[in-house]
């Protein structure tokens, strides 16, 4: 299996993603229980921030592992900028 930029921190990444998954289930429960809209939105904002942190960590790993020490720097730079563009377009 190929080594990825996040391979060294895979356990931390999976732990963080499991926590985010729990937060999403919590929001679903809040909606089911007809909780106050602002409270639900606050939790959604926290989930988005947590996902952004995961994404930035992955981009950092990609940059350090694939771009800096990688094969085609031009292609890797293009790929990295495309990924950043997709992250910024949400919302």
């Amino acid at each position: 299996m190929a080594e990825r930029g996040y391979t060294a921190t895979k356990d931390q990444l999976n732990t963080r993603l499991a926590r985010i998954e729990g937060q999403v289930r919590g929001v679903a429960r809040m909606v089911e229980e007809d909780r106050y809209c602002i409270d639900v939105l606050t939790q959604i904002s926290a989930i988005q921030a947590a996902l952004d942190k995961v994404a930035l960590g992955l981009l950092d790993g990609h940059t350090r592992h694939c771009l800096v020490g990688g094969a085609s720097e031009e292609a890797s730079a293009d790929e990295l900028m495309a990924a950043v563009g997709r992250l910024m377009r949400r919302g």
Side-chain angles (χ1 to χ4, degrees), residues 33-51:
E33 295 168 358
D34 293 321
R35 298 278 297 272
Y36 185 55
C37 296
I38 299 302
D39 292 342
V40 176
L41 292 170
T42 299
Q43 290 305 309
I44 290 171
S45 178
I47 292 166
Q48 288 173 330
L51 283 170

Side-chain angles (χ1 to χ4, degrees), residues 40-67:
V40 176
L41 292 170
T42 299
Q43 290 305 309
I44 290 171
S45 178
I47 292 166
Q48 288 173 330
L51 283 170
D52 286 347
K53 192 166 184 178
V54 168
L56 286 173
L58 287 170
L59 283 171
D60 180 67
H62 177 73
T63 301
R64 294 175 194 282
H65 181 265
C66 300
L67 188 60

Side-chain angles (χ1 to χ4, degrees), residues 5-19:
Y6 58 83
T7 300
T9 59
K10 195 179 214 178
D11 289 340
Q12 290 174 323
L13 181 61
N14 280 325
T15 298
R16 185 169 291 188
L17 289 169
R19 191 174 311 128

Side-chain angles (χ1 to χ4, degrees), residues 22-34 40 44 47:
Q23 287 178 290
V24 171
R25 283 193 305 271
V27 167
R29 258 190 321 275
M30 291 174 79
V31 169
E32 184 63 33
E33 295 168 358
D34 293 321
V40 176
I44 290 171
I47 292 166

